[in-house]
Amino acid sequence: MKKKLKINHDKHSYAVFGMGDFGRTVAIELAKSGADVMAIDHSEERISDVTDYVTDARIMDVTDIRAYEKIALSNMDGVVIALTGNMDAAIIAILQASEAGVPEIIVKSASDVQTEIYKRLGANKIITPEISEGVRLARTLSSTDIFDFVALRDEICMLELQVPEEWAGKTLAELQLRTRYQLNVISILGAESANLVIDSALRLNAGDHVLVVTDRKTAEAL
């Protein structure tokens, strides 16, 4: 089951703790992107599912502090800790990663209480996928003009908007969306094509969608 980890210093290296749906997806996608990935879980079955995708796959009791001596977390650029069902294991993994000097510690949280604890222990970033997806769905459903909503950071959002009737036929220069509405257009999605190179002379058409980045307050106002 276990493959020997060969660190390529030209690549980023990550350890992913917990091979549930979230952790498994993160590990496989990181590996596909070219990173060296060590997948860790106590379940032999879960580790078997990812062995063919990652650089190293290890069966390990994350609560066993002595086991960390064998995985060289100090070599990692980051760790992803997806152990929401075992808070003790998550805490130990955070502490061990912090002690090893891992520069980026990303933790999946299932509640506000877990989030606060993990932050105090040294996690750099907290992921709450269920909460984020709930917010995304609610924002999308609550507006007939917003087709998608993604929170990029706490105060920054990306929205996919249908071009309102009053925008149709006008250029970006004429609309001045950044100045008037604090909307930064990053793409215009037409019926048959998408414009990724944004020019102020581009004209919006009825039925087009625009991808914009803005702050959360502006998004809520929309």
Side-chain angles (χ1 to χ4, degrees):
M1 291 303 160
K2 186 171 75 173
K3 292 161 60 179
K4 186 177 180 181
L5 178 64
K6 297 179 180 179
I7 296 293
N8 181 340
H9 293 288
D10 294 329
K11 296 182 179 182
H12 288 296
S13 301
Y14 296 93
V16 182
F17 292 84
M19 291 297 106
D21 290 341
F22 179 81
R24 181 178 185 275
T25 299
V26 171
I28 291 174
E29 290 303 315
L30 280 172
K32 285 181 178 178
S33 73
D36 283 319
V37 179
M38 177 190 292
I40 299 166
D41 197 283
H42 71 279
S43 166
E44 182 176 350
E45 181 179 358
R46 287 182 173 181
I47 287 297
S48 295
D49 286 342
V50 299
T51 300
D52 292 338
Y53 300 98
V54 299
T55 314
D56 190 9
R58 301 202 179 205
I59 301 168
M60 172 178 152
D61 177 3
V62 182
T63 63
D64 181 1
I65 294 176
R66 292 173 298 179
Y68 287 86
E69 297 173 3
K70 301 177 182 179
I71 62 174
L73 286 182
S74 59
N75 291 332
M76 301 298 168
D77 296 299
V79 299
V80 179
I81 301 168
L83 300 166
T84 50
N86 189 337
M87 193 170 172
D88 288 347
I91 288 172
I92 291 171
I94 294 169
L95 292 174
Q96 290 296 314
S98 181
E99 186 174 316
V102 178
E104 190 168 21
I105 303 173
I106 303 163
V107 188
K108 181 186 176 189
S109 171
S111 69
D112 291 340
V113 173
Q114 285 188 1
T115 295
E116 186 60 31
I117 291 171
Y118 297 158
K119 283 181 179 178
R120 290 175 180 267
L121 291 174
N124 305 112
K125 186 172 184 179
I126 308 296
I127 304 294
T128 51
E130 290 84 359
I131 295 172
S132 297
E133 284 304 306
V135 170
R136 181 178 181 178
L137 177 61
R139 302 285 184 182
T140 303
L141 293 176
S142 65
S143 173
T144 57
D145 295 321
I146 297 178
F147 283 77
D148 206 354
F149 172 97
V150 180
L152 302 178
R153 295 192 175 222
D154 287 346
E155 295 302 324
I156 303 176
C157 308
M158 182 171 67
L159 308 174
E160 180 182 342
L161 305 172
Q162 184 172 6
V163 170
E165 185 178 338
E166 59 269 26
W167 293 4
K170 296 180 180 178
T171 66
L172 293 177
E174 291 169 337
L175 290 167
Q176 297 183 22
L177 298 180
R178 182 181 298 177
T179 302
R180 293 179 179 176
Y181 306 108
Q182 291 75 55
L183 299 177
N184 298 286
V185 178
I186 60 174
S187 182
I188 299 173
L189 310 175
E192 298 180 356
S193 63
N195 272 307
L196 298 177
V197 179
I198 301 304
D199 188 298
S200 61
L202 284 172
R203 195 172 300 277
L204 300 182
N205 300 307
D208 284 352
H209 290 193
V210 290
L211 285 182
V212 300
V213 174
T214 188
D215 60 83
R216 183 175 293 273
K217 189 176 294 185
T218 301
E220 290 174 350
L222 287 172

